[in-house]
Amino acid sequence: MNQRVTRAIILSRTDYGEADRIITLLTPDYGKVTLLAKGVRKVKSKLAGGIELFSVSEITFIKGRGEVGTLVSTRLVKHYEHIVSDLDRTMLAYELLKRLNKVTESEVEEEYFALLQGALEALNDLSVSLDLIRFWFDAQLLRLGGQGPNLQTDEHGSPLSPEQQYTFDFERMGFMAAPHGQFDAQHIKFLRLAFAGHSALALAKVQGGTKLAGECTPMLHHLMQLAF
């Protein structure tokens, strides 16, 4: 048997038969995998405790000949228990899982696993704004998909100036100088941090970060619509 061991986070799960479940997991080593968890819905199942939602687990599985493999064993590594203590955090966690499952193919880079783990860590910290987490997550999806905006130069190729105000041109995916533009140096610094490979916790440390995220959200939403 060709058994494989890796870390995993559940993206989705579907009941199958009387006691089984088909689960889709994101892994750093094998991308996105779909496995049959036999008997996992039974009370005494040895698999159930190691594959909780909103958790990082170590799993052993056998790759199937088709699209669905078989889950062999599980061990819980980290459970983000604070997420389920707050309904809004729980709903956002479900939303992010669903979104990541939708935009990723089977062969997906390890960075997507790191993104999802970082999102769960941020959601587990009750002091971090949900708006900041959602904003950071969307920015990272755009970055990983190669759809991030130009945050370095304006439409003429000149470095963005801390003394200038800008509007955003979606056709050019960059900023244009404008006397009464809605974006200034603070917005651009915040966007650079959001699109960098840092965690959502870094955004939470920015003074006025929630306000800046709110002011940049319409732009980010439009970028998401164009990309996905």
Side-chain angles (χ1 to χ4, degrees):
M1 292 189 297
N2 186 17
Q3 293 191 358
R4 305 180 181 188
V5 180
T6 186
R7 290 174 295 151
I9 299 173
I10 290 180
L11 292 175
S12 68
R13 56 186 187 180
T14 303
D15 290 346
Y16 182 77
E18 294 184 0
D20 303 338
R21 184 171 279 154
I22 294 176
I23 56 176
T24 299
L25 307 105
L26 190 64
T27 76
D29 306 303
Y30 303 104
K32 193 162 62 174
V33 297
T34 300
L35 304 175
L36 176 64
K38 296 181 178 179
V40 73
R41 288 154 55 204
K42 294 181 179 179
V43 176
K44 296 183 179 181
S45 170
K46 294 182 179 180
L47 295 176
I51 47 170
E52 298 284 343
L53 281 173
F54 316 139
S55 302
V56 176
S57 303
E58 182 179 273
I59 66 167
T60 302
F61 71 98
I62 301 172
K63 185 174 176 61
R65 293 183 178 178
E67 295 182 355
V68 182
T70 302
L71 186 65
V72 176
S73 66
T74 64
R75 181 179 67 85
L76 192 65
V77 175
K78 171 68 177 179
H79 178 56
Y80 299 99
E81 69 276 3
H82 296 311
I83 293 176
V84 295
S85 69
D86 180 90
L87 179 59
D88 290 334
R89 286 180 183 273
T90 303
M91 296 306 295
L92 180 55
Y94 277 118
E95 177 189 330
L96 300 187
L97 292 179
K98 183 177 180 181
R99 192 183 307 174
L100 196 57
N101 194 17
K102 181 179 180 180
V103 303
T104 53
E105 303 293 338
S106 297
E107 300 296 328
V108 62
E109 295 87 350
E110 183 178 353
E111 284 184 286
Y112 283 93
F113 180 87
L115 168 60
L116 185 52
Q117 187 173 6
L120 293 178
E121 290 174 353
L123 285 165
N124 200 53
D125 187 336
L126 301 181
S127 69
V128 181
S129 161
L130 295 182
D131 289 336
L132 281 179
I133 296 171
R134 185 182 286 108
F135 188 91
W136 170 81
F137 189 86
D138 286 349
Q140 292 301 303
L141 280 183
L142 288 167
R143 179 182 70 85
L144 292 175
Q147 302 292 328
N150 179 1
L151 299 172
Q152 304 302 323
T153 59
D154 64 16
E155 75 275 22
H156 301 299
S158 300
L160 297 176
S161 169
E163 309 299 327
Q164 184 63 269
Q165 289 182 292
Y166 297 92
T167 59
F168 191 80
D169 187 324
F170 290 98
E171 290 187 4
R172 300 182 182 183
M173 289 292 286
F175 290 94
M176 298 177 61
H180 303 291
Q182 67 268 47
F183 301 108
D184 59 21
Q186 283 189 311
H187 295 100
I188 292 169
K189 287 180 181 178
F190 183 78
L191 286 166
R192 285 173 178 168
L193 184 61
F195 277 89
H198 303 297
S199 71
L201 302 179
L203 285 188
K205 296 178 181 179
V206 176
Q207 186 174 2
T210 301
K211 180 175 180 292
L212 290 169
E215 292 168 348
C216 294
T217 289
M219 182 193 87
L220 195 68
H221 279 177
H222 194 65
L223 288 174
M224 289 292 291
Q225 290 173 356
L226 292 174
F228 302 107

